[in-house]
Amino acid sequence: MRLPYPYRDVRKARGDALLESLICVLIMAIIGAGSTYIASRMNVSARQTRANGAATTQMRVLLQQYGATLCPGAASHSRAAVILPGSYAHQSLDVKCAEGMKVSVGGVSIDQPSSVVLCVPKDSAGQFEGTIKVGNNAKVTCG
């Protein structure tokens, strides 16, 4: 006896649904792994951005409060450090100082103030992805 049309290919199509569901699970696993990777990279990027912002703010405050006294050999040189968010560890800063120029205009001597640049050292335990430089002297390079 011959089966009606809808039931004729049932035996041939038994594994199709299982195969389709396995492919669907595989595709969803790949999408889930990609989403997890993207979310973790966003978390790392946000953490680094917060650390950079906190360090930059602290460096600006140090420059405003102490200025040229942060230079090596000066009274406040030991204060050249920032506190990293999360770990509360002190990170020492590289202090670069450039002496100001003396200019004479019409017999009047004008002293340009010395410029101070604060830099986060490159070996800062992976907290900062790039170089952070706070100061107004373009000639001074960090690193």
Side-chain angles (χ1 to χ4, degrees), residues 17-48:
L18 179 61
L19 185 62
E20 288 174 1
S21 63
L22 286 174
I23 290 173
C24 180
V25 167
L26 177 66
I27 290 172
M28 293 194 56
I30 291 171
I31 290 172
S35 299
T36 303
Y37 175 75
I38 290 171
S40 68
R41 290 301 305 157
M42 286 175 47
N43 190 17
V44 167
S45 177
R47 188 175 346 118
Q48 288 177 343

PDB file of all heavy atoms in Angstrom, residues 17-48:
ATOM      1  N   ALA A  17      15.415  17.919  10.434  1.00  0.00           N
ATOM      2  CA  ALA A  17      15.070  18.827  11.535  1.00  0.00           C
ATOM      3  C   ALA A  17      16.176  18.861  12.574  1.00  0.00           C
ATOM      4  O   ALA A  17      16.517  19.925  13.101  1.00  0.00           O
ATOM      5  CB  ALA A  17      13.758  18.396  12.176  1.00  0.00           C
ATOM      6  N   LEU A  18      16.763  17.705  12.849  1.00  0.00           N
ATOM      7  CA  LEU A  18      17.856  17.649  13.817  1.00  0.00           C
ATOM      8  C   LEU A  18      19.069  18.414  13.297  1.00  0.00           C
ATOM      9  O   LEU A  18      19.696  19.186  14.035  1.00  0.00           O
ATOM     10  CB  LEU A  18      18.227  16.190  14.104  1.00  0.00           C
ATOM     11  CG  LEU A  18      19.367  15.967  15.090  1.00  0.00           C
ATOM     12  CD1 LEU A  18      18.993  16.551  16.453  1.00  0.00           C
ATOM     13  CD2 LEU A  18      19.692  14.493  15.196  1.00  0.00           C
ATOM     14  N   LEU A  19      19.388  18.233  12.048  1.00  0.00           N
ATOM     15  CA  LEU A  19      20.530  18.936  11.454  1.00  0.00           C
ATOM     16  C   LEU A  19      20.303  20.447  11.431  1.00  0.00           C
ATOM     17  O   LEU A  19      21.198  21.234  11.761  1.00  0.00           O
ATOM     18  CB  LEU A  19      20.782  18.404  10.044  1.00  0.00           C
ATOM     19  CG  LEU A  19      22.019  18.938   9.325  1.00  0.00           C
ATOM     20  CD1 LEU A  19      23.264  18.547  10.111  1.00  0.00           C
ATOM     21  CD2 LEU A  19      22.080  18.385   7.918  1.00  0.00           C
ATOM     22  N   GLU A  20      19.108  20.861  11.070  1.00  0.00           N
ATOM     23  CA  GLU A  20      18.781  22.288  11.059  1.00  0.00           C
ATOM     24  C   GLU A  20      18.864  22.890  12.453  1.00  0.00           C
ATOM     25  O   GLU A  20      19.368  23.998  12.639  1.00  0.00           O
ATOM     26  CB  GLU A  20      17.389  22.503  10.475  1.00  0.00           C
ATOM     27  CG  GLU A  20      17.318  22.274   8.982  1.00  0.00           C
ATOM     28  CD  GLU A  20      15.897  22.339   8.452  1.00  0.00           C
ATOM     29  OE1 GLU A  20      14.977  22.590   9.262  1.00  0.00           O
ATOM     30  OE2 GLU A  20      15.719  22.143   7.243  1.00  0.00           O
ATOM     31  N   SER A  21      18.398  22.174  13.458  1.00  0.00           N
ATOM     32  CA  SER A  21      18.456  22.706  14.823  1.00  0.00           C
ATOM     33  C   SER A  21      19.904  22.777  15.319  1.00  0.00           C
ATOM     34  O   SER A  21      20.278  23.718  16.027  1.00  0.00           O
ATOM     35  CB  SER A  21      17.594  21.875  15.769  1.00  0.00           C
ATOM     36  OG  SER A  21      18.095  20.559  15.846  1.00  0.00           O
ATOM     37  N   LEU A  22      20.742  21.802  14.951  1.00  0.00           N
ATOM     38  CA  LEU A  22      22.159  21.862  15.332  1.00  0.00           C
ATOM     39  C   LEU A  22      22.870  23.047  14.677  1.00  0.00           C
ATOM     40  O   LEU A  22      23.680  23.738  15.316  1.00  0.00           O
ATOM     41  CB  LEU A  22      22.862  20.554  14.964  1.00  0.00           C
ATOM     42  CG  LEU A  22      22.549  19.355  15.845  1.00  0.00           C
ATOM     43  CD1 LEU A  22      23.196  18.101  15.285  1.00  0.00           C
ATOM     44  CD2 LEU A  22      23.006  19.603  17.263  1.00  0.00           C
ATOM     45  N   ILE A  23      22.577  23.316  13.432  1.00  0.00           N
ATOM     46  CA  ILE A  23      23.164  24.472  12.745  1.00  0.00           C
ATOM     47  C   ILE A  23      22.693  25.765  13.397  1.00  0.00           C
ATOM     48  O   ILE A  23      23.471  26.695  13.600  1.00  0.00           O
ATOM     49  CB  ILE A  23      22.819  24.427  11.239  1.00  0.00           C
ATOM     50  CG1 ILE A  23      23.580  23.273  10.583  1.00  0.00           C
ATOM     51  CG2 ILE A  23      23.166  25.748  10.563  1.00  0.00           C
ATOM     52  CD1 ILE A  23      23.207  23.015   9.139  1.00  0.00           C
ATOM     53  N   CYS A  24      21.422  25.819  13.765  1.00  0.00           N
ATOM     54  CA  CYS A  24      20.877  27.001  14.447  1.00  0.00           C
ATOM     55  C   CYS A  24      21.574  27.228  15.783  1.00  0.00           C
ATOM     56  O   CYS A  24      21.944  28.358  16.120  1.00  0.00           O
ATOM     57  CB  CYS A  24      19.383  26.844  14.637  1.00  0.00           C
ATOM     58  SG  CYS A  24      18.606  28.237  15.465  1.00  0.00           S
ATOM     59  N   VAL A  25      21.792  26.158  16.556  1.00  0.00           N
ATOM     60  CA  VAL A  25      22.482  26.276  17.843  1.00  0.00           C
ATOM     61  C   VAL A  25      23.917  26.753  17.634  1.00  0.00           C
ATOM     62  O   VAL A  25      24.424  27.591  18.378  1.00  0.00           O
ATOM     63  CB  VAL A  25      22.432  24.929  18.606  1.00  0.00           C
ATOM     64  CG1 VAL A  25      23.388  24.919  19.780  1.00  0.00           C
ATOM     65  CG2 VAL A  25      21.018  24.654  19.072  1.00  0.00           C
ATOM     66  N   LEU A  26      24.585  26.230  16.600  1.00  0.00           N
ATOM     67  CA  LEU A  26      25.952  26.644  16.302  1.00  0.00           C
ATOM     68  C   LEU A  26      26.021  28.131  15.946  1.00  0.00           C
ATOM     69  O   LEU A  26      26.884  28.861  16.449  1.00  0.00           O
ATOM     70  CB  LEU A  26      26.515  25.799  15.158  1.00  0.00           C
ATOM     71  CG  LEU A  26      27.917  26.169  14.685  1.00  0.00           C
ATOM     72  CD1 LEU A  26      28.925  25.877  15.794  1.00  0.00           C
ATOM     73  CD2 LEU A  26      28.257  25.418  13.424  1.00  0.00           C
ATOM     74  N   ILE A  27      25.115  28.587  15.116  1.00  0.00           N
ATOM     75  CA  ILE A  27      25.085  30.007  14.734  1.00  0.00           C
ATOM     76  C   ILE A  27      24.810  30.890  15.946  1.00  0.00           C
ATOM     77  O   ILE A  27      25.452  31.926  16.138  1.00  0.00           O
ATOM     78  CB  ILE A  27      24.049  30.239  13.617  1.00  0.00           C
ATOM     79  CG1 ILE A  27      24.541  29.596  12.314  1.00  0.00           C
ATOM     80  CG2 ILE A  27      23.807  31.739  13.403  1.00  0.00           C
ATOM     81  CD1 ILE A  27      23.524  29.593  11.199  1.00  0.00           C
ATOM     82  N   MET A  28      23.889  30.463  16.800  1.00  0.00           N
ATOM     83  CA  MET A  28      23.596  31.259  17.997  1.00  0.00           C
ATOM     84  C   MET A  28      24.781  31.279  18.960  1.00  0.00           C
ATOM     85  O   MET A  28      25.039  32.284  19.613  1.00  0.00           O
ATOM     86  CB  MET A  28      22.335  30.729  18.675  1.00  0.00           C
ATOM     87  CG  MET A  28      21.117  30.967  17.798  1.00  0.00           C
ATOM     88  SD  MET A  28      19.555  30.770  18.595  1.00  0.00           S
ATOM     89  CE  MET A  28      19.612  31.851  19.943  1.00  0.00           C
ATOM     90  N   ALA A  29      25.533  30.182  19.040  1.00  0.00           N
ATOM     91  CA  ALA A  29      26.720  30.156  19.894  1.00  0.00           C
ATOM     92  C   ALA A  29      27.784  31.107  19.372  1.00  0.00           C
ATOM     93  O   ALA A  29      28.450  31.805  20.150  1.00  0.00           O
ATOM     94  CB  ALA A  29      27.270  28.732  19.980  1.00  0.00           C
ATOM     95  N   ILE A  30      27.957  31.169  18.059  1.00  0.00           N
ATOM     96  CA  ILE A  30      28.923  32.098  17.468  1.00  0.00           C
ATOM     97  C   ILE A  30      28.504  33.542  17.736  1.00  0.00           C
ATOM     98  O   ILE A  30      29.330  34.388  18.104  1.00  0.00           O
ATOM     99  CB  ILE A  30      29.077  31.829  15.961  1.00  0.00           C
ATOM    100  CG1 ILE A  30      29.776  30.484  15.746  1.00  0.00           C
ATOM    101  CG2 ILE A  30      29.847  32.949  15.272  1.00  0.00           C
ATOM    102  CD1 ILE A  30      29.788  30.019  14.304  1.00  0.00           C
ATOM    103  N   ILE A  31      27.240  33.836  17.578  1.00  0.00           N
ATOM    104  CA  ILE A  31      26.740  35.191  17.859  1.00  0.00           C
ATOM    105  C   ILE A  31      26.920  35.531  19.336  1.00  0.00           C
ATOM    106  O   ILE A  31      27.340  36.632  19.698  1.00  0.00           O
ATOM    107  CB  ILE A  31      25.258  35.318  17.429  1.00  0.00           C
ATOM    108  CG1 ILE A  31      25.156  35.280  15.907  1.00  0.00           C
ATOM    109  CG2 ILE A  31      24.643  36.609  17.979  1.00  0.00           C
ATOM    110  CD1 ILE A  31      23.742  35.201  15.386  1.00  0.00           C
ATOM    111  N   GLY A  32      26.644  34.585  20.226  1.00  0.00           N
ATOM    112  CA  GLY A  32      26.823  34.813  21.666  1.00  0.00           C
ATOM    113  C   GLY A  32      28.280  35.051  22.030  1.00  0.00           C
ATOM    114  O   GLY A  32      28.597  35.936  22.828  1.00  0.00           O
ATOM    115  N   ALA A  33      29.199  34.274  21.433  1.00  0.00           N
ATOM    116  CA  ALA A  33      30.626  34.468  21.706  1.00  0.00           C
ATOM    117  C   ALA A  33      31.091  35.828  21.204  1.00  0.00           C
ATOM    118  O   ALA A  33      31.858  36.526  21.875  1.00  0.00           O
ATOM    119  CB  ALA A  33      31.442  33.352  21.061  1.00  0.00           C
ATOM    120  N   GLY A  34      30.614  36.237  20.030  1.00  0.00           N
ATOM    121  CA  GLY A  34      30.966  37.559  19.498  1.00  0.00           C
ATOM    122  C   GLY A  34      30.433  38.679  20.378  1.00  0.00           C
ATOM    123  O   GLY A  34      31.134  39.670  20.635  1.00  0.00           O
ATOM    124  N   SER A  35      29.214  38.543  20.848  1.00  0.00           N
ATOM    125  CA  SER A  35      28.634  39.561  21.731  1.00  0.00           C
ATOM    126  C   SER A  35      29.392  39.652  23.049  1.00  0.00           C
ATOM    127  O   SER A  35      29.630  40.749  23.560  1.00  0.00           O
ATOM    128  CB  SER A  35      27.170  39.243  22.010  1.00  0.00           C
ATOM    129  OG  SER A  35      26.432  39.228  20.826  1.00  0.00           O
ATOM    130  N   THR A  36      29.792  38.504  23.589  1.00  0.00           N
ATOM    131  CA  THR A  36      30.573  38.505  24.830  1.00  0.00           C
ATOM    132  C   THR A  36      31.916  39.182  24.627  1.00  0.00           C
ATOM    133  O   THR A  36      32.362  39.964  25.471  1.00  0.00           O
ATOM    134  CB  THR A  36      30.773  37.057  25.321  1.00  0.00           C
ATOM    135  OG1 THR A  36      29.492  36.456  25.490  1.00  0.00           O
ATOM    136  CG2 THR A  36      31.532  37.017  26.632  1.00  0.00           C
ATOM    137  N   TYR A  37      32.579  38.912  23.509  1.00  0.00           N
ATOM    138  CA  TYR A  37      33.869  39.535  23.211  1.00  0.00           C
ATOM    139  C   TYR A  37      33.724  41.053  23.090  1.00  0.00           C
ATOM    140  O   TYR A  37      34.507  41.814  23.661  1.00  0.00           O
ATOM    141  CB  TYR A  37      34.454  38.955  21.924  1.00  0.00           C
ATOM    142  CG  TYR A  37      35.718  39.635  21.488  1.00  0.00           C
ATOM    143  CD1 TYR A  37      36.912  39.387  22.146  1.00  0.00           C
ATOM    144  CD2 TYR A  37      35.725  40.540  20.434  1.00  0.00           C
ATOM    145  CE1 TYR A  37      38.081  40.018  21.766  1.00  0.00           C
ATOM    146  CE2 TYR A  37      36.882  41.175  20.042  1.00  0.00           C
ATOM    147  CZ  TYR A  37      38.057  40.904  20.712  1.00  0.00           C
ATOM    148  OH  TYR A  37      39.201  41.547  20.325  1.00  0.00           O
ATOM    149  N   ILE A  38      32.726  41.500  22.377  1.00  0.00           N
ATOM    150  CA  ILE A  38      32.503  42.938  22.202  1.00  0.00           C
ATOM    151  C   ILE A  38      32.212  43.601  23.541  1.00  0.00           C
ATOM    152  O   ILE A  38      32.730  44.675  23.847  1.00  0.00           O
ATOM    153  CB  ILE A  38      31.369  43.186  21.184  1.00  0.00           C
ATOM    154  CG1 ILE A  38      31.845  42.810  19.785  1.00  0.00           C
ATOM    155  CG2 ILE A  38      30.909  44.637  21.211  1.00  0.00           C
ATOM    156  CD1 ILE A  38      30.756  42.812  18.738  1.00  0.00           C
ATOM    157  N   ALA A  39      31.386  42.979  24.368  1.00  0.00           N
ATOM    158  CA  ALA A  39      31.061  43.543  25.678  1.00  0.00           C
ATOM    159  C   ALA A  39      32.294  43.624  26.572  1.00  0.00           C
ATOM    160  O   ALA A  39      32.498  44.623  27.273  1.00  0.00           O
ATOM    161  CB  ALA A  39      29.977  42.719  26.361  1.00  0.00           C
ATOM    162  N   SER A  40      33.152  42.615  26.522  1.00  0.00           N
ATOM    163  CA  SER A  40      34.366  42.662  27.354  1.00  0.00           C
ATOM    164  C   SER A  40      35.327  43.732  26.860  1.00  0.00           C
ATOM    165  O   SER A  40      35.965  44.420  27.657  1.00  0.00           O
ATOM    166  CB  SER A  40      35.049  41.292  27.380  1.00  0.00           C
ATOM    167  OG  SER A  40      35.583  40.979  26.110  1.00  0.00           O
ATOM    168  N   ARG A  41      35.455  43.909  25.549  1.00  0.00           N
ATOM    169  CA  ARG A  41      36.319  44.972  25.010  1.00  0.00           C
ATOM    170  C   ARG A  41      35.778  46.353  25.384  1.00  0.00           C
ATOM    171  O   ARG A  41      36.540  47.268  25.675  1.00  0.00           O
ATOM    172  CB  ARG A  41      36.448  44.856  23.495  1.00  0.00           C
ATOM    173  CG  ARG A  41      37.239  43.680  23.026  1.00  0.00           C
ATOM    174  CD  ARG A  41      38.654  43.650  23.537  1.00  0.00           C
ATOM    175  NE  ARG A  41      39.375  44.856  23.232  1.00  0.00           N
ATOM    176  CZ  ARG A  41      40.431  45.294  23.901  1.00  0.00           C
ATOM    177  NH1 ARG A  41      40.890  44.611  24.921  1.00  0.00           N
ATOM    178  NH2 ARG A  41      41.031  46.405  23.574  1.00  0.00           N
ATOM    179  N   MET A  42      34.461  46.502  25.368  1.00  0.00           N
ATOM    180  CA  MET A  42      33.870  47.780  25.774  1.00  0.00           C
ATOM    181  C   MET A  42      34.140  48.055  27.249  1.00  0.00           C
ATOM    182  O   MET A  42      34.416  49.197  27.638  1.00  0.00           O
ATOM    183  CB  MET A  42      32.362  47.783  25.490  1.00  0.00           C
ATOM    184  CG  MET A  42      32.031  47.915  24.031  1.00  0.00           C
ATOM    185  SD  MET A  42      30.281  47.774  23.631  1.00  0.00           S
ATOM    186  CE  MET A  42      29.506  48.826  24.809  1.00  0.00           C
ATOM    187  N   ASN A  43      34.093  47.025  28.077  1.00  0.00           N
ATOM    188  CA  ASN A  43      34.367  47.174  29.502  1.00  0.00           C
ATOM    189  C   ASN A  43      35.810  47.591  29.736  1.00  0.00           C
ATOM    190  O   ASN A  43      36.088  48.487  30.541  1.00  0.00           O
ATOM    191  CB  ASN A  43      34.054  45.868  30.224  1.00  0.00           C
ATOM    192  CG  ASN A  43      34.092  46.014  31.717  1.00  0.00           C
ATOM    193  OD1 ASN A  43      34.052  47.121  32.242  1.00  0.00           O
ATOM    194  ND2 ASN A  43      34.168  44.900  32.415  1.00  0.00           N
ATOM    195  N   VAL A  44      36.755  46.969  29.035  1.00  0.00           N
ATOM    196  CA  VAL A  44      38.173  47.323  29.160  1.00  0.00           C
ATOM    197  C   VAL A  44      38.402  48.754  28.689  1.00  0.00           C
ATOM    198  O   VAL A  44      39.113  49.534  29.329  1.00  0.00           O
ATOM    199  CB  VAL A  44      39.052  46.328  28.372  1.00  0.00           C
ATOM    200  CG1 VAL A  44      40.470  46.831  28.228  1.00  0.00           C
ATOM    201  CG2 VAL A  44      39.030  44.973  29.037  1.00  0.00           C
ATOM    202  N   SER A  45      37.794  49.112  27.582  1.00  0.00           N
ATOM    203  CA  SER A  45      37.945  50.471  27.051  1.00  0.00           C
ATOM    204  C   SER A  45      37.373  51.508  28.014  1.00  0.00           C
ATOM    205  O   SER A  45      37.977  52.567  28.230  1.00  0.00           O
ATOM    206  CB  SER A  45      37.255  50.568  25.696  1.00  0.00           C
ATOM    207  OG  SER A  45      37.329  51.866  25.198  1.00  0.00           O
ATOM    208  N   ALA A  46      36.225  51.224  28.602  1.00  0.00           N
ATOM    209  CA  ALA A  46      35.626  52.157  29.561  1.00  0.00           C
ATOM    210  C   ALA A  46      36.506  52.300  30.801  1.00  0.00           C
ATOM    211  O   ALA A  46      36.681  53.411  31.318  1.00  0.00           O
ATOM    212  CB  ALA A  46      34.233  51.686  29.958  1.00  0.00           C
ATOM    213  N   ARG A  47      37.087  51.191  31.274  1.00  0.00           N
ATOM    214  CA  ARG A  47      37.970  51.243  32.437  1.00  0.00           C
ATOM    215  C   ARG A  47      39.216  52.092  32.138  1.00  0.00           C
ATOM    216  O   ARG A  47      39.630  52.910  32.950  1.00  0.00           O
ATOM    217  CB  ARG A  47      38.371  49.830  32.851  1.00  0.00           C
ATOM    218  CG  ARG A  47      39.132  49.798  34.155  1.00  0.00           C
ATOM    219  CD  ARG A  47      39.448  48.397  34.656  1.00  0.00           C
ATOM    220  NE  ARG A  47      38.724  47.322  34.015  1.00  0.00           N
ATOM    221  CZ  ARG A  47      39.306  46.340  33.324  1.00  0.00           C
ATOM    222  NH1 ARG A  47      40.594  46.286  33.208  1.00  0.00           N
ATOM    223  NH2 ARG A  47      38.582  45.390  32.778  1.00  0.00           N
ATOM    224  N   GLN A  48      39.797  51.915  30.944  1.00  0.00           N
ATOM    225  CA  GLN A  48      40.971  52.702  30.578  1.00  0.00           C
ATOM    226  C   GLN A  48      40.633  54.178  30.411  1.00  0.00           C
ATOM    227  O   GLN A  48      41.411  55.050  30.785  1.00  0.00           O
ATOM    228  CB  GLN A  48      41.600  52.154  29.307  1.00  0.00           C
ATOM    229  CG  GLN A  48      42.306  50.843  29.521  1.00  0.00           C
ATOM    230  CD  GLN A  48      42.861  50.260  28.234  1.00  0.00           C
ATOM    231  OE1 GLN A  48      42.474  50.658  27.136  1.00  0.00           O
ATOM    232  NE2 GLN A  48      43.761  49.311  28.377  1.00  0.00           N
TER     233      GLN A  48
END
